[in-house]
Amino acid sequence: MSKNVQLALISRSYCHLCHDMEVALTPLLGEFSASLAVVDVDADEALLARYDELVPVLLHGDTELCHYHLDEEKVRAYLTAHA
């Protein structure tokens, strides 16, 4: 039985890399029945302090999967192991 993996994309509205990563994730989300929460880094002081210059950052819980650009191979392997 597979479980729905909830990923979080730490993002900001004016960041083209953030938008690019969200778009690139779409096929993987469908393939693995994963869901994505897009979180505005600028709306949370703790997230801003931790991830400000790293956005976009893709997380599963506290596990950082990648930042700046989607590492499709790494994310695919992670989702395979956790689905």
Side-chain angles (χ1 to χ4, degrees), residues 25-41:
L25 273 167
T26 300
L28 285 174
L29 296 173
E31 181 179 338
F32 290 93
S33 298
S35 55
L36 182 68
V38 178
V39 180
D40 182 2
V41 71

Side-chain angles (χ1 to χ4, degrees), residues 14-29:
Y14 57 88
C15 168
H16 75 279
L17 291 177
C18 300
H19 176 71
D20 291 349
M21 187 181 289
E22 186 176 357
V23 169
L25 273 167
T26 300
L28 285 174
L29 296 173

Side-chain angles (χ1 to χ4, degrees), residues 10-12 15 17-18 41 51-57 67-68:
I10 309 302
S11 181
R12 56 174 42 108
C15 168
L17 291 177
C18 300
V41 71
Y51 297 117
D52 184 26
E53 295 299 318
L54 294 177
V55 296
V57 181
H67 63 269
Y68 299 138

